[in-house]
Amino acid sequence: MNLLVVGSVAYDAIETPFGKTDKILGGAGTFISLSASYAGATPLTVSVVGGDFEEKYLKMLESHNVDIEGIQIKKDEKTFFWSGKYHNDMNSRDTLVTELNSLETFDPIVPESYKNAKYLMLGNLAPTVQRKVIEQMTTRPELIIMDTMNFWMDIMLDELLKTISMVDVLSINDEEARQLSGEYSLKKAAKKIHAMGPKFVIIKKGEHGALLFNDEKVFYAPALPLEEVFDPTGAGDTFAGGFAGYLAQKGDVSFENMKNAVIFGSAMASFCVEKFGTERIQNLGKEEINERVFEFVELVKFDYKPNK
Amino acid sequence: MNLLVVGSVAYDAIETPFGKTDKILGGAGTFISLSASYAGATPLTVSVVGGDFEEKYLKMLESHNVDIEGIQIKKDEKTFFWSGKYHNDMNSRDTLVTELNSLETFDPIVPESYKNAKYLMLGNLAPTVQRKVIEQMTTRPELIIMDTMNFWMDIMLDELLKTISMVDVLSINDEEARQLSGEYSLKKAAKKIHAMGPKFVIIKKGEHGALLFNDEKVFYAPALPLEEVFDPTGAGDTFAGGFAGYLAQKGDVSFENMKNAVIFGSAMASFCVEKFGTERIQNLGKEEINERVFEFVELVKFDYKPNK
């Protein structure tokens, strides 16, 4: 099944306690599409870059079966650039530089051949831009998945709520779920977000795993305890890409299959944090992915025997 | 199998955003023994109270098959009293009053009939007091489980390390594991704690569940997402009591069975937080416990199908 991905393709410069990078490949659209490709999906990618964007990165994406027809190249502009520095606990970071550049006026154009995609993954972008993509589809996708950030809750909540009301799955982190719902309990938060439209709510909890809610049903996907988190940048997008790619590849949007998709996304995210940026998820083998997923299966497996 | 429990039996006064209590029954030993009793164990309890301790509480414990022969009653002293106030997020609290009273000079005396217990659960107490209990056993128990707190790391680390080196299972929370090991990564922290002696390390993460480590093996027990946490007091002790009681009842200390014990303990803790103090775990039915455990089973169940 086709998966349409919209999201930024960017340059990042990252500093962590383990080292720092020059400008490297980043952006939500990049992480999502790369990750989805490992699920066997062909991500159709809508994005924008500047004239400074290196050809080799487009070639790399193509080598992963990412369709780049929808990536606009604005020759006279520069690529979106973000720079950040992680604190020692790796759980918080400071943004050092944000240069929107070509993303500032981004008007997403969905190529004709993308407009019937059955699956749509909206990476974090202005909710108005996300909506423009939905509106260009000739048929309503079977499943629309949306990621967003607290930033949009702060500056354009009404627009955000409008877009949220149009999607099937909302994927956000725990703090964002609390901010959006005004509820501290994640169970209550998910209930309120259901009432905003999405039938499925994913709450990402970083090193504590992720929760998938569907009305009264709930699934807790653990996170693998890691010895080292080298660079968390893009982990949430990699999770979302793996999730969307897995669903698109199976063509099954049942709650039962979504659990598997959450596990696949979690496994992909656990690779992402092992190296800077996209480095690790540019070079993954099918065998190591299967082994990692198996670690997740083992992590929560038990065979409970009730007491007499 | 016999389970010896040592821990405080106390009075608590608790304030949460949902209300406040007068002096109610509390103490690690109380929560542990009550919780263990639901696993089918007969907790042999070593503790101390003052002359002000109400007879009805001892009767209540006995009605739960808790053996109280080892609870010393110091007629001329008062029962240990703790008072605390939880903040709005329920994740942190201020201690308002700590009156050690009869606990200050607590010299644990293990009754003859307890000295061959196969299982020993050391609730949070001074590590010197915990050690005195181990030293009174005529045969080394099959399994010694120990709970402790950051307080003892701050004021008597050497004594604490000495007691830790004598036990099989250490149960602490994530912040305490980080403090004790000096490692932020919980996987690395567990490794360092293994090297201190315990073959099994349980790291409690509150609303994020618990991790069980045994060398290279790891198990992630989720926590049930709750609509409301009414009073977290005693949840960690209730967890430990359910864990120890389940193991003692099964007489099986394999890693596989410990996973089940962690699930049982987590289920018991999820009841504990529903009301003030021991109120909820004084009145539990077998059926509702089985149903709660089943919710935990369902929470993490998935049937992963690898991609082609």
mmCIF file of all heavy atoms in Angstrom, chain A residues 91 184-185 188 191 205 208 220 226-228 246 249 259 286 299 301 303 305 307-308, chain B residues 91 184-185 188 191 205 208 220 226-228 246 249 259-260 286 299 301 305 307-308:
data_model
loop_
_atom_site.group_PDB
_atom_site.id
_atom_site.type_symbol
_atom_site.label_atom_id
_atom_site.label_comp_id
_atom_site.label_asym_id
_atom_site.label_seq_id
_atom_site.Cartn_x
_atom_site.Cartn_y
_atom_site.Cartn_z
ATOM 1 N N ASN A 91 17.771 13.961 28.360
ATOM 2 C CA ASN A 91 16.314 14.062 28.342
ATOM 3 C C ASN A 91 15.825 15.467 28.015
ATOM 4 O O ASN A 91 14.648 15.675 27.797
ATOM 5 C CB ASN A 91 15.730 13.639 29.693
ATOM 6 C CG ASN A 91 15.490 12.145 29.729
ATOM 7 O OD1 ASN A 91 15.279 11.519 28.696
ATOM 8 N ND2 ASN A 91 15.539 11.578 30.919
ATOM 9 N N TYR A 184 -3.376 15.508 33.828
ATOM 10 C CA TYR A 184 -2.097 14.909 34.179
ATOM 11 C C TYR A 184 -2.105 13.403 33.907
ATOM 12 O O TYR A 184 -1.165 12.854 33.340
ATOM 13 C CB TYR A 184 -1.748 15.180 35.648
ATOM 14 C CG TYR A 184 -0.357 14.699 35.964
ATOM 15 C CD1 TYR A 184 0.752 15.471 35.625
ATOM 16 C CD2 TYR A 184 -0.152 13.450 36.539
ATOM 17 C CE1 TYR A 184 2.031 15.011 35.867
ATOM 18 C CE2 TYR A 184 1.130 12.990 36.784
ATOM 19 C CZ TYR A 184 2.213 13.776 36.450
ATOM 20 O OH TYR A 184 3.478 13.321 36.676
ATOM 21 N N SER A 185 -3.181 12.742 34.266
ATOM 22 C CA SER A 185 -3.288 11.297 34.016
ATOM 23 C C SER A 185 -3.307 11.048 32.509
ATOM 24 O O SER A 185 -4.130 11.609 31.780
ATOM 25 C CB SER A 185 -4.577 10.759 34.650
ATOM 26 O OG SER A 185 -5.050 9.628 33.936
ATOM 27 N N LYS A 188 -6.654 9.756 31.235
ATOM 28 C CA LYS A 188 -7.641 10.825 31.037
ATOM 29 C C LYS A 188 -7.290 11.691 29.830
ATOM 30 O O LYS A 188 -8.161 12.124 29.076
ATOM 31 C CB LYS A 188 -7.703 11.712 32.288
ATOM 32 C CG LYS A 188 -8.477 11.122 33.439
ATOM 33 C CD LYS A 188 -8.665 12.203 34.506
ATOM 34 C CE LYS A 188 -9.410 11.663 35.710
ATOM 35 N NZ LYS A 188 -9.412 12.639 36.824
ATOM 36 N N LYS A 191 -8.381 10.090 26.678
ATOM 37 C CA LYS A 191 -9.836 10.201 26.538
ATOM 38 C C LYS A 191 -10.226 11.541 25.931
ATOM 39 O O LYS A 191 -11.041 11.623 25.011
ATOM 40 C CB LYS A 191 -10.467 10.069 27.936
ATOM 41 C CG LYS A 191 -11.615 9.094 27.985
ATOM 42 C CD LYS A 191 -12.146 8.961 29.403
ATOM 43 C CE LYS A 191 -12.260 7.491 29.755
ATOM 44 N NZ LYS A 191 -12.893 7.276 31.067
ATOM 45 N N LYS A 205 6.671 8.008 25.545
ATOM 46 C CA LYS A 205 7.254 8.336 26.842
ATOM 47 C C LYS A 205 8.773 8.147 26.858
ATOM 48 O O LYS A 205 9.358 7.905 27.923
ATOM 49 C CB LYS A 205 6.603 7.484 27.945
ATOM 50 C CG LYS A 205 5.057 7.540 27.924
ATOM 51 C CD LYS A 205 4.446 7.171 29.261
ATOM 52 C CE LYS A 205 4.740 5.749 29.662
ATOM 53 N NZ LYS A 205 4.323 5.479 31.056
ATOM 54 N N HIS A 208 10.670 5.369 28.655
ATOM 55 C CA HIS A 208 9.660 4.569 29.347
ATOM 56 C C HIS A 208 8.692 3.881 28.380
ATOM 57 O O HIS A 208 7.696 3.317 28.808
ATOM 58 C CB HIS A 208 8.866 5.441 30.321
ATOM 59 C CG HIS A 208 9.710 6.193 31.283
ATOM 60 N ND1 HIS A 208 10.560 5.556 32.164
ATOM 61 C CD2 HIS A 208 9.879 7.520 31.495
ATOM 62 C CE1 HIS A 208 11.204 6.479 32.884
ATOM 63 N NE2 HIS A 208 10.801 7.666 32.487
ATOM 64 N N TYR A 220 0.615 -1.168 26.195
ATOM 65 C CA TYR A 220 1.838 -0.547 26.695
ATOM 66 C C TYR A 220 3.026 -1.195 25.991
ATOM 67 O O TYR A 220 3.318 -2.362 26.235
ATOM 68 C CB TYR A 220 1.945 -0.758 28.205
ATOM 69 C CG TYR A 220 2.975 0.116 28.902
ATOM 70 C CD1 TYR A 220 2.680 0.776 30.084
ATOM 71 C CD2 TYR A 220 4.256 0.298 28.380
ATOM 72 C CE1 TYR A 220 3.610 1.579 30.736
ATOM 73 C CE2 TYR A 220 5.180 1.101 29.009
ATOM 74 C CZ TYR A 220 4.857 1.728 30.187
ATOM 75 O OH TYR A 220 5.787 2.526 30.822
ATOM 76 N N LEU A 226 18.625 0.826 27.435
ATOM 77 C CA LEU A 226 19.853 0.942 26.651
ATOM 78 C C LEU A 226 21.018 1.348 27.539
ATOM 79 O O LEU A 226 20.845 2.078 28.509
ATOM 80 C CB LEU A 226 19.671 1.994 25.549
ATOM 81 C CG LEU A 226 18.569 1.711 24.524
ATOM 82 C CD1 LEU A 226 18.371 2.914 23.609
ATOM 83 C CD2 LEU A 226 18.894 0.465 23.713
ATOM 84 N N GLU A 227 22.208 0.862 27.189
ATOM 85 C CA GLU A 227 23.404 1.265 27.941
ATOM 86 C C GLU A 227 23.725 2.725 27.658
ATOM 87 O O GLU A 227 24.152 3.458 28.533
ATOM 88 C CB GLU A 227 24.604 0.414 27.508
ATOM 89 C CG GLU A 227 24.462 -1.035 27.875
ATOM 90 C CD GLU A 227 25.665 -1.538 28.654
ATOM 91 O OE1 GLU A 227 26.683 -0.827 28.708
ATOM 92 O OE2 GLU A 227 25.575 -2.649 29.196
ATOM 93 N N GLU A 228 23.513 3.119 26.425
ATOM 94 C CA GLU A 228 23.857 4.474 26.059
ATOM 95 C C GLU A 228 22.880 5.038 25.029
ATOM 96 O O GLU A 228 22.523 4.353 24.069
ATOM 97 C CB GLU A 228 25.262 4.513 25.448
ATOM 98 C CG GLU A 228 26.101 5.623 25.997
ATOM 99 C CD GLU A 228 27.548 5.158 26.209
ATOM 100 O OE1 GLU A 228 28.211 4.930 25.194
ATOM 101 O OE2 GLU A 228 27.970 5.033 27.367
ATOM 102 N N TYR A 246 4.951 0.115 8.786
ATOM 103 C CA TYR A 246 4.501 -1.244 9.107
ATOM 104 C C TYR A 246 3.025 -1.423 8.771
ATOM 105 O O TYR A 246 2.621 -2.412 8.154
ATOM 106 C CB TYR A 246 4.754 -1.535 10.591
ATOM 107 C CG TYR A 246 4.453 -2.970 10.985
ATOM 108 C CD1 TYR A 246 5.457 -3.931 10.987
ATOM 109 C CD2 TYR A 246 3.167 -3.361 11.347
ATOM 110 C CE1 TYR A 246 5.195 -5.248 11.347
ATOM 111 C CE2 TYR A 246 2.889 -4.674 11.705
ATOM 112 C CZ TYR A 246 3.899 -5.608 11.711
ATOM 113 O OH TYR A 246 3.631 -6.912 12.053
ATOM 114 N N GLN A 249 2.519 -1.423 4.988
ATOM 115 C CA GLN A 249 2.998 -2.640 4.351
ATOM 116 C C GLN A 249 2.017 -3.790 4.577
ATOM 117 O O GLN A 249 1.788 -4.603 3.684
ATOM 118 C CB GLN A 249 4.398 -2.970 4.881
ATOM 119 C CG GLN A 249 5.249 -3.823 3.951
ATOM 120 C CD GLN A 249 5.003 -5.319 4.174
ATOM 121 O OE1 GLN A 249 4.408 -5.706 5.172
ATOM 122 N NE2 GLN A 249 5.435 -6.129 3.218
ATOM 123 N N LYS A 259 -0.609 -2.661 17.481
ATOM 124 C CA LYS A 259 0.338 -3.034 18.538
ATOM 125 C C LYS A 259 1.669 -3.443 17.919
ATOM 126 O O LYS A 259 2.736 -3.006 18.363
ATOM 127 C CB LYS A 259 -0.204 -4.212 19.344
ATOM 128 C CG LYS A 259 -1.445 -3.947 20.172
ATOM 129 C CD LYS A 259 -1.781 -5.267 20.884
ATOM 130 C CE LYS A 259 -3.032 -5.214 21.699
ATOM 131 N NZ LYS A 259 -3.295 -6.515 22.377
ATOM 132 N N LYS A 286 18.206 -6.315 7.426
ATOM 133 C CA LYS A 286 16.950 -6.957 7.822
ATOM 134 C C LYS A 286 17.150 -7.842 9.044
ATOM 135 O O LYS A 286 16.316 -7.881 9.952
ATOM 136 C CB LYS A 286 16.439 -7.786 6.628
ATOM 137 C CG LYS A 286 15.017 -8.267 6.787
ATOM 138 C CD LYS A 286 14.349 -8.568 5.439
ATOM 139 C CE LYS A 286 13.589 -7.365 4.928
ATOM 140 N NZ LYS A 286 12.747 -7.632 3.753
ATOM 141 N N LEU A 299 11.367 -8.970 26.013
ATOM 142 C CA LEU A 299 11.392 -8.018 27.128
ATOM 143 C C LEU A 299 10.126 -8.037 27.966
ATOM 144 O O LEU A 299 10.175 -7.793 29.179
ATOM 145 C CB LEU A 299 11.610 -6.608 26.554
ATOM 146 C CG LEU A 299 11.808 -5.450 27.521
ATOM 147 C CD1 LEU A 299 13.026 -5.666 28.398
ATOM 148 C CD2 LEU A 299 11.943 -4.141 26.735
ATOM 149 N N LYS A 301 7.717 -10.638 27.713
ATOM 150 C CA LYS A 301 7.064 -11.950 27.673
ATOM 151 C C LYS A 301 7.039 -12.596 29.052
ATOM 152 O O LYS A 301 8.056 -12.689 29.722
ATOM 153 C CB LYS A 301 7.802 -12.866 26.685
ATOM 154 C CG LYS A 301 6.904 -13.943 26.107
ATOM 155 C CD LYS A 301 7.570 -14.657 24.952
ATOM 156 C CE LYS A 301 8.707 -15.560 25.410
ATOM 157 N NZ LYS A 301 9.281 -16.307 24.264
ATOM 158 N N ASP A 303 4.561 -15.734 31.404
ATOM 159 C CA ASP A 303 3.494 -16.732 31.315
ATOM 160 C C ASP A 303 2.912 -16.870 32.711
ATOM 161 O O ASP A 303 3.371 -17.668 33.506
ATOM 162 C CB ASP A 303 4.101 -18.046 30.815
ATOM 163 C CG ASP A 303 3.046 -19.115 30.665
ATOM 164 O OD1 ASP A 303 1.860 -18.768 30.573
ATOM 165 O OD2 ASP A 303 3.422 -20.315 30.674
ATOM 166 N N LYS A 305 0.915 -17.615 35.949
ATOM 167 C CA LYS A 305 0.127 -18.704 36.529
ATOM 168 C C LYS A 305 -0.596 -18.176 37.753
ATOM 169 O O LYS A 305 0.044 -17.840 38.746
ATOM 170 C CB LYS A 305 1.043 -19.868 36.912
ATOM 171 C CG LYS A 305 1.607 -20.580 35.696
ATOM 172 C CD LYS A 305 2.776 -21.472 36.069
ATOM 173 C CE LYS A 305 3.507 -21.916 34.812
ATOM 174 N NZ LYS A 305 4.247 -20.790 34.158
ATOM 175 N N ASN A 307 -2.543 -17.861 41.233
ATOM 176 C CA ASN A 307 -2.464 -18.641 42.467
ATOM 177 C C ASN A 307 -3.712 -19.489 42.634
ATOM 178 O O ASN A 307 -4.791 -19.134 42.180
ATOM 179 C CB ASN A 307 -2.324 -17.701 43.666
ATOM 180 C CG ASN A 307 -0.876 -17.407 43.975
ATOM 181 O OD1 ASN A 307 -0.049 -18.306 43.987
ATOM 182 N ND2 ASN A 307 -0.562 -16.148 44.193
ATOM 183 N N LYS A 308 -3.488 -20.606 43.316
ATOM 184 C CA LYS A 308 -4.655 -21.464 43.589
ATOM 185 C C LYS A 308 -5.609 -20.734 44.546
ATOM 186 O O LYS A 308 -5.197 -19.954 45.366
ATOM 187 C CB LYS A 308 -4.198 -22.785 44.208
ATOM 188 C CG LYS A 308 -3.404 -23.641 43.222
ATOM 189 C CD LYS A 308 -2.267 -24.376 43.931
ATOM 190 C CE LYS A 308 -0.937 -24.039 43.273
ATOM 191 N NZ LYS A 308 0.221 -24.501 44.039
ATOM 192 N N ASN B 91 3.819 12.982 42.144
ATOM 193 C CA ASN B 91 5.101 12.313 41.950
ATOM 194 C C ASN B 91 6.147 12.746 42.978
ATOM 195 O O ASN B 91 7.211 12.171 43.062
ATOM 196 C CB ASN B 91 5.645 12.568 40.538
ATOM 197 C CG ASN B 91 5.115 11.556 39.563
ATOM 198 O OD1 ASN B 91 4.789 10.440 39.945
ATOM 199 N ND2 ASN B 91 5.013 11.934 38.304
ATOM 200 N N TYR B 184 23.593 6.958 34.991
ATOM 201 C CA TYR B 184 22.272 7.431 34.578
ATOM 202 C C TYR B 184 21.484 6.324 33.876
ATOM 203 O O TYR B 184 20.308 6.109 34.130
ATOM 204 C CB TYR B 184 22.384 8.668 33.682
ATOM 205 C CG TYR B 184 21.023 9.239 33.392
ATOM 206 C CD1 TYR B 184 20.390 10.052 34.333
ATOM 207 C CD2 TYR B 184 20.338 8.923 32.225
ATOM 208 C CE1 TYR B 184 19.119 10.552 34.107
ATOM 209 C CE2 TYR B 184 19.060 9.409 31.995
ATOM 210 C CZ TYR B 184 18.460 10.229 32.941
ATOM 211 O OH TYR B 184 17.200 10.698 32.717
ATOM 212 N N SER B 185 22.146 5.603 32.992
ATOM 213 C CA SER B 185 21.489 4.493 32.287
ATOM 214 C C SER B 185 21.115 3.413 33.295
ATOM 215 O O SER B 185 21.953 2.919 34.049
ATOM 216 C CB SER B 185 22.435 3.924 31.226
ATOM 217 O OG SER B 185 22.158 2.551 31.001
ATOM 218 N N LYS B 188 23.111 0.190 32.871
ATOM 219 C CA LYS B 188 24.440 0.261 33.492
ATOM 220 C C LYS B 188 24.335 0.228 35.011
ATOM 221 O O LYS B 188 25.158 -0.386 35.695
ATOM 222 C CB LYS B 188 25.159 1.544 33.063
ATOM 223 C CG LYS B 188 25.739 1.509 31.671
ATOM 224 C CD LYS B 188 26.608 2.731 31.459
ATOM 225 C CE LYS B 188 27.179 2.775 30.062
ATOM 226 N NZ LYS B 188 27.850 4.071 29.800
ATOM 227 N N LYS B 191 23.899 -3.213 36.267
ATOM 228 C CA LYS B 191 25.165 -3.945 36.173
ATOM 229 C C LYS B 191 26.043 -3.670 37.390
ATOM 230 O O LYS B 191 26.612 -4.583 37.998
ATOM 231 C CB LYS B 191 25.896 -3.479 34.901
ATOM 232 C CG LYS B 191 26.445 -4.616 34.068
ATOM 233 C CD LYS B 191 27.080 -4.096 32.790
ATOM 234 C CE LYS B 191 26.508 -4.811 31.588
ATOM 235 N NZ LYS B 191 27.192 -4.470 30.336
ATOM 236 N N LYS B 205 9.837 2.122 38.637
ATOM 237 C CA LYS B 205 9.735 3.414 37.947
ATOM 238 C C LYS B 205 8.350 4.044 38.095
ATOM 239 O O LYS B 205 7.917 4.807 37.231
ATOM 240 C CB LYS B 205 10.079 3.229 36.465
ATOM 241 C CG LYS B 205 11.425 2.508 36.222
ATOM 242 C CD LYS B 205 12.002 2.781 34.855
ATOM 243 C CE LYS B 205 11.109 2.309 33.737
ATOM 244 N NZ LYS B 205 11.591 2.799 32.419
ATOM 245 N N HIS B 208 5.705 4.338 35.357
ATOM 246 C CA HIS B 208 6.303 3.767 34.151
ATOM 247 C C HIS B 208 6.615 2.281 34.299
ATOM 248 O O HIS B 208 7.266 1.704 33.435
ATOM 249 C CB HIS B 208 7.592 4.513 33.785
ATOM 250 C CG HIS B 208 7.409 5.991 33.654
ATOM 251 N ND1 HIS B 208 6.539 6.550 32.744
ATOM 252 C CD2 HIS B 208 7.961 7.026 34.330
ATOM 253 C CE1 HIS B 208 6.581 7.875 32.860
ATOM 254 N NE2 HIS B 208 7.434 8.178 33.820
ATOM 255 N N TYR B 220 10.640 -6.146 31.427
ATOM 256 C CA TYR B 220 9.988 -4.854 31.634
ATOM 257 C C TYR B 220 8.536 -5.105 32.008
ATOM 258 O O TYR B 220 7.761 -5.546 31.164
ATOM 259 C CB TYR B 220 10.074 -4.007 30.360
ATOM 260 C CG TYR B 220 9.737 -2.538 30.551
ATOM 261 C CD1 TYR B 220 10.543 -1.555 29.987
ATOM 262 C CD2 TYR B 220 8.637 -2.134 31.290
ATOM 263 C CE1 TYR B 220 10.261 -0.197 30.151
ATOM 264 C CE2 TYR B 220 8.352 -0.784 31.464
ATOM 265 C CZ TYR B 220 9.160 0.170 30.884
ATOM 266 O OH TYR B 220 8.874 1.504 31.054
ATOM 267 N N LEU B 226 -3.527 4.647 34.992
ATOM 268 C CA LEU B 226 -4.671 4.840 35.891
ATOM 269 C C LEU B 226 -5.297 6.206 35.667
ATOM 270 O O LEU B 226 -4.608 7.173 35.343
ATOM 271 C CB LEU B 226 -4.209 4.724 37.346
ATOM 272 C CG LEU B 226 -3.595 3.382 37.751
ATOM 273 C CD1 LEU B 226 -3.017 3.464 39.154
ATOM 274 C CD2 LEU B 226 -4.628 2.268 37.659
ATOM 275 N N GLU B 227 -6.604 6.267 35.853
ATOM 276 C CA GLU B 227 -7.292 7.563 35.750
ATOM 277 C C GLU B 227 -6.900 8.459 36.911
ATOM 278 O O GLU B 227 -6.749 9.660 36.771
ATOM 279 C CB GLU B 227 -8.805 7.344 35.777
ATOM 280 C CG GLU B 227 -9.319 6.603 34.582
ATOM 281 C CD GLU B 227 -10.445 7.351 33.899
ATOM 282 O OE1 GLU B 227 -10.953 8.339 34.445
ATOM 283 O OE2 GLU B 227 -10.817 6.919 32.798
ATOM 284 N N GLU B 228 -6.752 7.841 38.073
ATOM 285 C CA GLU B 228 -6.448 8.619 39.250
ATOM 286 C C GLU B 228 -5.526 7.858 40.202
ATOM 287 O O GLU B 228 -5.730 6.680 40.453
ATOM 288 C CB GLU B 228 -7.737 8.936 39.999
ATOM 289 C CG GLU B 228 -7.843 10.378 40.404
ATOM 290 C CD GLU B 228 -9.257 10.896 40.216
ATOM 291 O OE1 GLU B 228 -10.127 10.424 40.935
ATOM 292 O OE2 GLU B 228 -9.470 11.750 39.335
ATOM 293 N N TYR B 246 4.374 -13.874 46.392
ATOM 294 C CA TYR B 246 4.153 -14.742 45.237
ATOM 295 C C TYR B 246 5.265 -15.782 45.113
ATOM 296 O O TYR B 246 5.016 -16.973 44.914
ATOM 297 C CB TYR B 246 4.069 -13.896 43.963
ATOM 298 C CG TYR B 246 3.704 -14.694 42.726
ATOM 299 C CD1 TYR B 246 2.378 -14.781 42.307
ATOM 300 C CD2 TYR B 246 4.673 -15.352 41.975
ATOM 301 C CE1 TYR B 246 2.023 -15.507 41.179
ATOM 302 C CE2 TYR B 246 4.331 -16.091 40.855
ATOM 303 C CZ TYR B 246 3.009 -16.159 40.451
ATOM 304 O OH TYR B 246 2.669 -16.891 39.340
ATOM 305 N N GLN B 249 5.001 -18.333 47.935
ATOM 306 C CA GLN B 249 3.878 -19.243 47.764
ATOM 307 C C GLN B 249 4.194 -20.304 46.701
ATOM 308 O O GLN B 249 3.828 -21.462 46.841
ATOM 309 C CB GLN B 249 2.627 -18.429 47.401
ATOM 310 C CG GLN B 249 1.309 -19.104 47.726
ATOM 311 C CD GLN B 249 0.840 -20.025 46.601
ATOM 312 O OE1 GLN B 249 1.331 -19.934 45.483
ATOM 313 N NE2 GLN B 249 -0.101 -20.900 46.917
ATOM 314 N N LYS B 259 9.352 -13.010 36.996
ATOM 315 C CA LYS B 259 8.559 -12.133 36.123
ATOM 316 C C LYS B 259 7.105 -12.110 36.600
ATOM 317 O O LYS B 259 6.496 -11.050 36.723
ATOM 318 C CB LYS B 259 8.590 -12.643 34.687
ATOM 319 C CG LYS B 259 9.920 -12.569 33.973
ATOM 320 C CD LYS B 259 9.701 -13.107 32.565
ATOM 321 C CE LYS B 259 10.962 -13.165 31.751
ATOM 322 N NZ LYS B 259 10.662 -13.694 30.383
ATOM 323 N N ASN B 260 6.563 -13.289 36.859
ATOM 324 C CA ASN B 260 5.184 -13.373 37.333
ATOM 325 C C ASN B 260 5.017 -12.676 38.671
ATOM 326 O O ASN B 260 4.001 -12.012 38.917
ATOM 327 C CB ASN B 260 4.764 -14.844 37.467
ATOM 328 C CG ASN B 260 4.721 -15.544 36.128
ATOM 329 O OD1 ASN B 260 4.565 -14.891 35.091
ATOM 330 N ND2 ASN B 260 4.859 -16.860 36.138
ATOM 331 N N LYS B 286 -10.328 -12.245 45.973
ATOM 332 C CA LYS B 286 -9.504 -13.034 45.047
ATOM 333 C C LYS B 286 -9.874 -12.723 43.588
ATOM 334 O O LYS B 286 -9.020 -12.604 42.722
ATOM 335 C CB LYS B 286 -9.701 -14.531 45.353
ATOM 336 C CG LYS B 286 -8.699 -15.419 44.663
ATOM 337 C CD LYS B 286 -8.520 -16.749 45.393
ATOM 338 C CE LYS B 286 -7.346 -16.708 46.353
ATOM 339 N NZ LYS B 286 -6.966 -18.002 46.913
ATOM 340 N N LEU B 299 -2.371 -5.892 28.788
ATOM 341 C CA LEU B 299 -1.738 -4.595 28.514
ATOM 342 C C LEU B 299 -0.510 -4.702 27.613
ATOM 343 O O LEU B 299 -0.216 -3.790 26.843
ATOM 344 C CB LEU B 299 -1.336 -3.956 29.850
ATOM 345 C CG LEU B 299 -0.765 -2.544 29.850
ATOM 346 C CD1 LEU B 299 -1.779 -1.563 29.295
ATOM 347 C CD2 LEU B 299 -0.367 -2.141 31.273
ATOM 348 N N LYS B 301 0.227 -7.660 25.771
ATOM 349 C CA LYS B 301 0.144 -8.820 24.887
ATOM 350 C C LYS B 301 0.100 -8.387 23.421
ATOM 351 O O LYS B 301 -0.696 -7.549 23.036
ATOM 352 C CB LYS B 301 -1.112 -9.638 25.230
ATOM 353 C CG LYS B 301 -0.994 -11.094 24.836
ATOM 354 C CD LYS B 301 -2.105 -11.930 25.430
ATOM 355 C CE LYS B 301 -3.432 -11.656 24.752
ATOM 356 N NZ LYS B 301 -4.497 -12.542 25.273
ATOM 357 N N LYS B 305 4.130 -10.287 13.911
ATOM 358 C CA LYS B 305 4.384 -11.002 12.660
ATOM 359 C C LYS B 305 5.484 -10.273 11.900
ATOM 360 O O LYS B 305 5.290 -9.147 11.458
ATOM 361 C CB LYS B 305 3.100 -11.046 11.824
ATOM 362 C CG LYS B 305 2.053 -11.971 12.406
ATOM 363 C CD LYS B 305 0.678 -11.700 11.811
ATOM 364 C CE LYS B 305 -0.388 -12.369 12.639
ATOM 365 N NZ LYS B 305 -0.602 -11.669 13.964
ATOM 366 N N ASN B 307 7.929 -8.888 9.053
ATOM 367 C CA ASN B 307 7.706 -8.589 7.645
ATOM 368 C C ASN B 307 8.379 -9.622 6.771
ATOM 369 O O ASN B 307 9.386 -10.216 7.147
ATOM 370 C CB ASN B 307 8.250 -7.199 7.313
ATOM 371 C CG ASN B 307 7.208 -6.129 7.532
ATOM 372 O OD1 ASN B 307 6.067 -6.303 7.113
ATOM 373 N ND2 ASN B 307 7.580 -5.054 8.200
ATOM 374 N N LYS B 308 7.797 -9.784 5.591
ATOM 375 C CA LYS B 308 8.427 -10.728 4.635
ATOM 376 C C LYS B 308 9.768 -10.151 4.178
ATOM 377 O O LYS B 308 9.951 -8.971 4.101
ATOM 378 C CB LYS B 308 7.505 -10.927 3.430
ATOM 379 C CG LYS B 308 6.241 -11.684 3.771
ATOM 380 C CD LYS B 308 5.057 -11.130 2.982
ATOM 381 C CE LYS B 308 3.947 -10.693 3.923
ATOM 382 N NZ LYS B 308 2.897 -9.912 3.282
#
